[in-house]
């Protein structure tokens, strides 16, 4: 089964562990050509919980 490619972290993105609730707030994004960043905690990938700005869809 192919894995879904994760978008590179951008400034302002937030990631959260669904088990312990640890959060990471990105303050400097990645602009690598082939970014392979992976955030993990409690043995599982962190969820991207970045909220869209109000009025954006």
């Amino acid at each position: 089964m192919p894995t879904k490619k994760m978008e590179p972290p951008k400034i302002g993105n937030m990631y959260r562990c669904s088990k312990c609730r640890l959060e990471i707030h990105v303050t400097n994004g990645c602009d690598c050509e082939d970014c392979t960043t992976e955030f993990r905690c409690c043995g599982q990938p962190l969820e991207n919980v970045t909220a869209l700005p109000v009025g954006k869809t």
Side-chain angles (χ1 to χ4, degrees):
M1 172 181 266
T3 58
K4 187 169 97 174
K5 184 172 167 109
M6 181 179 160
E7 289 290 319
K10 304 284 186 214
I11 293 174
N13 284 163
M14 294 181 67
Y15 298 86
R16 180 181 302 137
C17 175
S18 62
K19 186 172 182 179
C20 75
R21 311 306 283 172
L22 166 103
E23 285 188 351
I24 294 177
H25 185 180
V26 178
T27 59
N28 192 17
C30 178
D31 60 1
C32 295
E33 187 174 311
D34 190 25
C35 183
T36 57
T37 302
E38 182 179 353
F39 299 123
R40 296 182 67 81
C41 183
C42 297
Q44 60 194 19
L46 299 185
E47 297 175 29
N48 185 335
V49 294
T50 306
L52 291 174
V54 174
K56 303 281 183 182
T57 55

